[in-house]
Amino acid sequence: MGSIVIVGAGECGARAAFALREMGYDGKITLIGAEPHLPYERPPLSKDGLSGQLPPKYVADAERYRVAGIEVLTDTPVSAIDRTDKSVTLTDGTSIAYDRLLLATGARARTIAGTDDASRRIRTLRTHADAEEIRRELAPGRKLAIIGGGFIGLELAATARRLGAAVILIEGLTRILSRGVPEDIAAVVAARHRAEGVDLRCSAKIERIDADENCARVVLADGETVDADLVVIGIGAIPNTELAAAAGLAIDNGIAVDATLQTSDSDIYAAGDCCSFPLCHYGDRRVRLEAWRNAQDQGTLVAGNLLGAGEAIASVPWFWSDQYDLTLQIAGLAEGASTTVRRDLSDSAFILFHLDDTGRLLSASGIGPGNAVARDIRLAEMLIAAGKRPDPQALILPETKLKALLAA
Amino acid sequence: MSGNWIEVCAADEIDEEDVIRFDHGGRTFAVYRSPDDEYFATDGLCTHEHIHLVDGLVMDDIIECPKHNGRFNYKTGQAKGAPVCVNLKTYPVKVEAGSVFIALG
């Protein structure tokens, strides 16, 4: 028996709770979330979920938590961790004791200084409530200004165009998707957005954003102004580390954990968007991943480790984005690559493979309609995990079966 | 249901350890050839977000959804864990005279 408390009721926390039961843990599990909903999937919020589907896409329905014996506290912010007493304190003063504590506190949207508590005409997109607010403005005749050409901003742009709103997207750097997406793939995405009518501006610095009850105005550094019914800021996320920091846990671009997701307190673990961890396939480089699959993988892994398994993270980072009928998938991290080769598939889909100077495959990024690149990206992920050094010329040829390279 | 065998394709049109899509009567199915040269059939759409499984990866007796990596045992239809929790429906398959047939209930 015993008690495991999970702070953060998102994908990662929920997955960990169910995994604990699947692994036979029969003690108490308390899953605590600040939002009013049961845990739900966030990826749809900028994609189909924004097209009007309600309620959110739940990770599991209430019945499954009941059957699994998982107590879920929604709308319940946690105010403190007492490591001496081994308990967490809720904002209403209630204290809940733990034998092991998991922090799956996630991340929150970054904002632009000075706009934090501005009018409802300036928003970020992170929660179901955010998506509901933004959805109201997406219609023919409405104009949306998106700040930031990352996955969230671009997916929102695609959804907004499908719903008939006019879209201007403002990126400060010279191209969109500069963090982690190769230029050739970003160019395909940019061209598609322009073809769909998005006014895409790169190298555009923002001076300030003004807003009143009815509209917002983005003032660019060159003096130009952009008026919109709604401004959505999509410039990345900040890990929610405050609770951990206040409890004296080590922080390093997120709650710092070791390869088993243990924090600097051996009874406290952290997983998902909120933590930074050493990535074994890349020389134990410390990274923090904001990704759905990572939240799931770490949620499952940490459940075992909360029960003493001591297993190290071995998964390869994996990301995806859907925009219009295009899907982009990335496995691995391309930093440090010295060679890039291109494999052209049918229907204008293609994959870029990035290898280091010893020939080891570091990353593969693909884009195409539907799921055209999915199978090869999945196999690339397995090649990366296995530390393979595939022949670059073989990777280029679409008739080469990657499954065969995995066996080689 | 055994009276209702529908021809899918020639047996050699499916590679070993691979899957094809088969549409019939307004429904879509996935038909598999296992590494040990047996044939199987399931519903064609993932139970998570209704993605066509045909674009997914077949490894041993597992089909993995191309979208979010939900995994199923295609021989039994069993969902193998998050994000999928609903099993795939399976259908009887037979090979006769070099062709694959599926029994639709």
Side-chain angles (χ1 to χ4, degrees):
Chain A
M1 290 300 281
S3 168
I4 292 178
V5 171
I6 302 172
V7 178
E11 186 81 43
C12 185
R15 181 84 289 271
F18 283 107
L20 282 167
R21 288 294 184 237
E22 286 156 17
M23 293 170 186
Y25 174 70
D26 61 1
K28 190 173 177 212
I29 302 175
T30 312
L31 178 59
I32 308 173
E35 286 187 64
H37 312 280
L38 286 173
Y40 58 89
E41 298 190 6
R42 291 190 200 281
L45 297 180
S46 49
K47 309 180 182 80
D48 292 343
L50 198 57
S51 303
Q53 286 170 14
L54 295 171
K57 184 169 172 55
Y58 293 113
V59 173
D61 59 24
E63 177 66 6
R64 283 187 60 209
Y65 293 96
R66 196 191 61 73
V67 169
I70 297 165
E71 185 180 8
V72 188
L73 305 179
T74 54
D75 240 337
T76 307
V78 171
S79 58
I81 301 166
D82 182 336
R83 290 167 55 195
T84 310
D85 192 39
K86 291 181 71 172
S87 67
V88 298
T89 306
L90 311 181
T91 46
D92 69 1
T94 311
S95 158
I96 301 176
Y98 65 80
D99 293 302
R100 292 273 193 282
L101 174 65
L102 170 60
L103 299 174
T105 49
R108 61 183 180 274
R110 273 183 72 196
T111 56
I112 295 172
T115 62
D116 295 37
D117 36 89
S119 89
R120 63 192 185 86
R121 298 283 154 196
I122 305 173
R123 308 208 65 95
T124 54
L125 175 51
R126 180 79 192 175
T127 66
H128 180 69
D130 295 335
E132 280 187 312
E133 290 286 336
I134 291 169
R135 172 70 183 85
R136 286 193 199 116
E137 298 294 332
L138 303 184
R142 308 296 280 174
K143 186 170 178 188
L144 175 67
I146 298 169
I147 313 297
F151 284 156
I152 294 287
L154 292 163
E155 290 177 2
L156 174 59
T159 305
R161 288 302 298 141
R162 198 168 63 228
L163 295 170
V167 177
I168 177 167
L169 190 147
I170 300 163
E171 166 60 49
L173 299 176
T174 55
R175 70 164 174 99
I176 58 167
L177 295 172
S178 55
R179 194 179 69 155
V181 178
E183 191 156 3
D184 287 1
I185 289 179
V188 172
V189 175
R192 180 58 182 271
H193 277 282
R194 290 195 166 111
E196 297 280 353
V198 174
D199 182 356
L200 181 58
R201 316 264 187 102
C202 291
S203 306
K205 302 280 185 255
I206 307 234
E207 180 73 31
R208 64 175 196 280
I209 306 173
D210 301 327
D212 61 25
E213 193 54 27
N214 298 312
C215 70
R217 169 170 289 180
V218 181
V219 180
L220 300 177
D222 66 5
E224 193 186 345
T225 59
V226 174
D227 291 338
D229 295 295
L230 180 69
V231 174
V232 178
I233 299 170
I235 55 170
I238 300 171
N240 293 323
T241 58
E242 288 75 7
L243 203 56
L249 298 176
I251 307 292
D252 181 359
N253 177 34
I255 303 168
V257 294
D258 67 13
T260 68
L261 300 171
Q262 190 178 68
T263 68
S264 52
D265 179 326
S266 61
D267 291 322
I268 305 179
Y269 288 72
D273 289 17
C274 69
C275 77
S276 70
F277 63 97
L279 194 54
C280 68
H281 303 293
Y282 301 89
D284 286 333
R285 179 149 51 101
R286 183 164 286 276
V287 297
R288 189 174 64 78
L289 301 177
E290 297 159 3
W292 181 78
R293 167 98 84 82
N294 179 62
Q296 287 218 338
D297 286 352
Q298 291 196 347
T300 305
L301 182 88
V302 80
N305 291 348
L306 285 163
L307 303 178
E311 195 182 332
I313 302 162
S315 47
V316 171
W318 183 86
F319 314 91
W320 97 94
S321 178
D322 297 326
Q323 296 165 43
Y324 311 104
D325 67 331
L326 293 175
T327 291
L328 185 165
Q329 288 192 358
I330 298 174
L333 301 176
E335 284 96 333
S338 59
T339 306
T340 297
V341 295
R342 175 170 165 146
R343 176 181 176 95
D344 281 296
L345 307 173
S346 55
D347 294 335
S348 74
F350 68 94
I351 293 175
L352 301 176
F353 293 94
H354 312 277
L355 304 97
D356 71 10
D357 54 11
T358 73
R360 223 193 101 206
L361 183 62
L362 294 179
S363 174
S365 333
I367 191 165
N371 292 306
V373 302
R375 195 185 302 207
D376 279 354
I377 292 290
R378 181 69 179 101
L379 284 161
E381 181 193 337
M382 295 161 87
L383 287 166
I384 295 165
K388 294 284 186 186
R389 292 180 167 75
D391 174 6
Q393 296 310 309
L395 292 173
I396 290 171
L397 299 171
E399 57 269 28
T400 305
K401 292 212 166 188
L402 299 188
K403 207 188 261 183
L405 300 179
L406 192 60
Chain B
M1 71 157 79
S2 59
N4 192 20
W5 289 102
I6 311 292
E7 184 170 357
V8 175
C9 63
D12 60 6
E13 284 177 46
I14 311 176
D15 288 342
E16 258 181 41
E17 203 176 41
D18 209 348
V19 57
I20 64 155
R21 171 176 167 178
F22 176 61
D23 292 347
H24 181 81
R27 297 160 70 190
T28 186
F29 305 91
V31 183
Y32 310 82
R33 182 172 169 188
S34 73
D36 43 8
D37 210 19
E38 288 186 280
Y39 292 79
F40 298 89
T42 68
D43 273 336
L45 302 178
C46 181
T47 58
H48 175 235
E49 284 193 355
H50 310 295
I51 302 296
H52 280 284
L53 291 169
V54 66
D55 294 318
L57 179 65
V58 179
M59 291 287 273
D60 297 323
D61 50 8
I62 299 294
I63 173 73
E64 189 177 86
C65 176
K67 198 78 200 174
H68 307 126
N69 312 105
R71 288 171 201 179
F72 303 90
N73 181 322
Y74 60 82
K75 298 181 176 180
T76 63
Q78 188 193 8
K80 303 298 283 183
V84 292
C85 45
V86 177
N87 294 343
L88 275 179
K89 188 167 164 40
T90 60
Y91 301 88
V93 173
K94 67 176 180 182
V95 179
E96 265 183 21
S99 286
V100 181
F101 295 84
I102 175 174
L104 302 180

